[in-house]
């Protein structure tokens, strides 16, 4: 047998040498093997306490959906202005249960690097713990998580190659004389009415019309198509240590404002318990500044009940250039806040209370019908 294999092997070498491609083929095979090995090692060695360039985040998305294939899938969302693919990760425990959706996006503003770092941390935490942690296990029974780690990919790459403090997308305007739309002023909600600029030179340039940018188009049409099932819309930014509720375009309050504040405040308390960091909670117009065309306000106005902007660390000491040494603590405390929000959302729809309420209203209805039949 050994002899036979040896002969076949030799024959193979001879044949391929004769064909003249043995060297390159073997080399190619070696490279493929090495690549696969380093990719596997890659995910184990992936550092969640460092910032990563876009290429590494693309790789990470592939690796994470291979390693946790039973719960994660990677999906195409659309193309950026510079024709790069946008992908989101869907974390979903297979079941026949009809489930609700939690949306989370990070990096709509290019320079806010801690946001994509948090999206990756969030995904890692869910995946590493969903089997053993009863809290996460419970959430996944009724909720699917859709996570877009970097929304503004062109801008993010630009902050790595050219200008660390770039904020906007990279679309070209005025015959290529100025660049970038503030994607968080480009959603179709009171577009460009306040806290946004029509001048392309400005950092809050609202674009040439509502949803004029491919990135906002991709997110809007996806969210729109799923809006009946999305219960919570979370969009991650930095900095300022704030949990912002709708609205930015008006001082008026959304119909469930009190509830949003209550859930937000509880999340801020959970966050503070981790490392003592203080967050403030309130509507954007009340505690930050007026903004129009933001994704948070748009999401609330198309009917998504829970909609929040998180402004992560810090308070301005390092601002957008938060040191890597603070990634871990920032992500740990933000994770505590996220889980607090998710617990509250879960309780509202599937908690003992809501089941109790449903049961008691059924009893009341039953009594009412039996009473009516006596009349
Ligand atoms: Zn931002």
């Amino acid at each position: 047998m050994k002899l036979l294999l040896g002969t076949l092997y030799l024959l193979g070498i001879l044949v391929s040498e004769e064909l003249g491609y043995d060297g390159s083929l073997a080399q190619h095979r070696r490279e493929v093997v090495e690549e696969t090995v380093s990719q596997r090692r890659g995910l184990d060695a992936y550092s969640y306490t460092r910032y990563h360039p876009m290429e590494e985040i693309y790789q990470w998305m592939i690796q994470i959906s291979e390693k946790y294939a039973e719960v994660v899938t990677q999906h195409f969302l659309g193309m950026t202005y510079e024709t790069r693919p946008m992908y989101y990760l869907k974390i979903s425990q297979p079941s026949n249960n009809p489930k609700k959706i939690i949306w989370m996006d990070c990096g709509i503003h290019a320079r806010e690097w801690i946001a994509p770092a948090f999206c990756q941390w969030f995904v890692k935490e869910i995946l590493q713990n969903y089997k053993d942690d009863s809290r996460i296990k419970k959430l996944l029974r009724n909720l699917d998580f859709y996570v877009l780690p970097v929304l503004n990919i062109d801008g993010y790459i630009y902050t790595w190659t050219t200008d660390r403090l770039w904020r906007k997308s990279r679309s070209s305007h005025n015959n290529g004389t100025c660049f970038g739309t503030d994607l968080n002023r480009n959603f179709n909600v009171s577009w460009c009415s306040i806290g946004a600029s029509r001048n392309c030179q400005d950092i809050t340039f609202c674009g040439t019309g509502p949803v004029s940018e491919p990135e906002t188009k991709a997110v809007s049409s996806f969210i729109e198509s799923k809006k009946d099932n999305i219960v919570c819309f979370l969009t991650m930014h930095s900095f300022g240590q704030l949990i912002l509720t709708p609205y930015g375009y008006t001082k008026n309050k959304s119909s469930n404002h009190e509830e949003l504040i209550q859930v937000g405040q509880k999340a801020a308390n959970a966050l503070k318990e981790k490392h003592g960091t203080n967050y403030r909670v309130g509507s954007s117009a009340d505690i930050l500044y007026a903004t129009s065309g933001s994704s948070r306000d748009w999401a609330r106005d198309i009917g998504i009940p829970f909609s929040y902007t998180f402004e992560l660390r810090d308070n301005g000491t390092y601002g957008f250039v938060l040191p890597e040494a603070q990634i871990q603590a920032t992500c740990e405390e933000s994770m505590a806040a996220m889980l607090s929000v998710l617990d509250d959302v879960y309780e509202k729809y599937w908690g003992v209370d809501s089941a109790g309420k449903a049961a008691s209203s059924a009893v009341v209805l039953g009594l009412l019908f039996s009473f009516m039949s006596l009349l």
Side-chain angles (χ1 to χ4, degrees), residues 109 112 167 237-238 311:
H109 288 144
E112 300 165 4
R167 165 185 169 95
H237 290 247
S238 72
E311 296 283 358

Short mmCIF file of all heavy atoms in Angstrom, two decimals, residues 109 112 167 237-238 311, ligand 1:
data_model
loop_
_atom_site.label_atom_id
_atom_site.label_comp_id
_atom_site.label_asym_id
_atom_site.label_seq_id
_atom_site.Cartn_x
_atom_site.Cartn_y
_atom_site.Cartn_z
N HIS A 109 -20.54 57.62 12.10
CA HIS A 109 -19.54 58.69 12.04
C HIS A 109 -18.15 58.07 12.08
O HIS A 109 -17.81 57.34 13.01
CB HIS A 109 -19.74 59.67 13.20
CG HIS A 109 -20.95 60.53 13.02
ND1 HIS A 109 -21.75 60.93 14.05
CD2 HIS A 109 -21.49 61.06 11.89
CE1 HIS A 109 -22.74 61.67 13.57
NE2 HIS A 109 -22.61 61.77 12.26
N GLU A 112 -15.42 57.96 15.14
CA GLU A 112 -15.82 57.49 16.47
C GLU A 112 -15.47 56.01 16.61
O GLU A 112 -16.34 55.14 16.68
CB GLU A 112 -17.32 57.78 16.66
CG GLU A 112 -17.61 59.29 16.54
CD GLU A 112 -19.09 59.65 16.36
OE1 GLU A 112 -19.95 58.75 16.39
OE2 GLU A 112 -19.37 60.85 16.18
N ARG A 167 -15.41 62.72 9.66
CA ARG A 167 -16.68 62.32 10.26
C ARG A 167 -17.67 61.74 9.24
O ARG A 167 -18.39 60.78 9.51
CB ARG A 167 -17.29 63.56 10.93
CG ARG A 167 -18.77 63.48 11.31
CD ARG A 167 -19.21 64.84 11.84
NE ARG A 167 -20.64 65.00 12.01
CZ ARG A 167 -21.29 64.80 13.16
NH1 ARG A 167 -20.65 64.39 14.23
NH2 ARG A 167 -22.59 65.01 13.23
N HIS A 237 -22.44 55.81 19.04
CA HIS A 237 -21.56 56.95 18.70
C HIS A 237 -20.57 57.20 19.85
O HIS A 237 -20.65 56.58 20.90
CB HIS A 237 -22.40 58.23 18.56
CG HIS A 237 -23.29 58.28 17.36
ND1 HIS A 237 -23.09 59.17 16.33
CD2 HIS A 237 -24.40 57.57 17.03
CE1 HIS A 237 -24.03 59.01 15.41
NE2 HIS A 237 -24.85 58.03 15.81
N SER A 238 -19.69 58.17 19.64
CA SER A 238 -18.94 58.76 20.73
C SER A 238 -18.76 60.23 20.35
O SER A 238 -18.87 60.58 19.17
CB SER A 238 -17.58 58.09 20.91
OG SER A 238 -16.69 58.45 19.86
N GLU A 311 -23.92 57.75 23.17
CA GLU A 311 -22.66 58.46 23.02
C GLU A 311 -21.71 57.88 24.06
O GLU A 311 -21.86 58.13 25.25
CB GLU A 311 -22.84 59.98 23.26
CG GLU A 311 -23.75 60.67 22.25
CD GLU A 311 -23.08 60.94 20.91
OE1 GLU A 311 -21.88 60.62 20.75
OE2 GLU A 311 -23.78 61.45 20.00
ZN1 LIG B 1 -21.51 60.52 16.10
#
